[in-house]
């Protein structure tokens, strides 16, 4: 595996969450910089170095409401 995708969403209680697609990795952070560091750490712990993906792709979903 050379690439791993994460679904990144704002958490209802504040901060951000990230869930890997196809792997059992879930992490969170107070802001996007913290979250990115948490994702890297979680991937390093989840995979052996030889099997670790080299690219982490984040799909960031942000919900906004517009009222009329």
């Amino acid at each position: 595996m050379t690439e791993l995708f994460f679904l990144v969403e704002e958490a209802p209680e504040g901060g951000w969450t990230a869930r890997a697609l196809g792997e059992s990795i879930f992490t969170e952070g107070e802001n996007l910089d913290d979250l990115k560091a948490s994702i890297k750490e979680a991937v390093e712990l989840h995979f052996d170095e030889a099997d670790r993906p080299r690219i982490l792709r984040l799909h960031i979903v942000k919900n906004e409401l517009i009222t009329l």
Side-chain angles (χ1 to χ4, degrees):
M1 172 188 318
T2 60
E3 190 171 42
L4 182 59
F5 288 83
F6 281 85
L7 177 62
V8 176
E9 298 178 291
E10 285 183 288
E13 62 279 354
W16 294 83
T17 62
R19 182 180 314 277
L21 304 180
E23 298 290 339
S24 55
I25 302 172
F26 178 84
T27 190
E28 53 193 0
E30 290 295 318
N31 55 54
L32 286 176
D33 288 333
D34 289 344
L35 182 66
K36 290 175 186 178
S38 295
I39 290 170
K40 286 181 181 180
E41 182 180 357
V43 170
E44 288 171 354
L45 293 172
H46 187 78
F47 291 98
D48 292 329
E49 188 172 349
D51 299 327
R52 193 175 299 150
R54 300 295 173 228
I55 297 171
L56 304 176
R57 189 174 301 271
L58 308 182
H59 178 74
I60 300 173
V61 177
K62 183 175 179 180
N63 292 317
E64 291 189 32
L65 292 176
I66 300 174
T67 59
L68 300 176

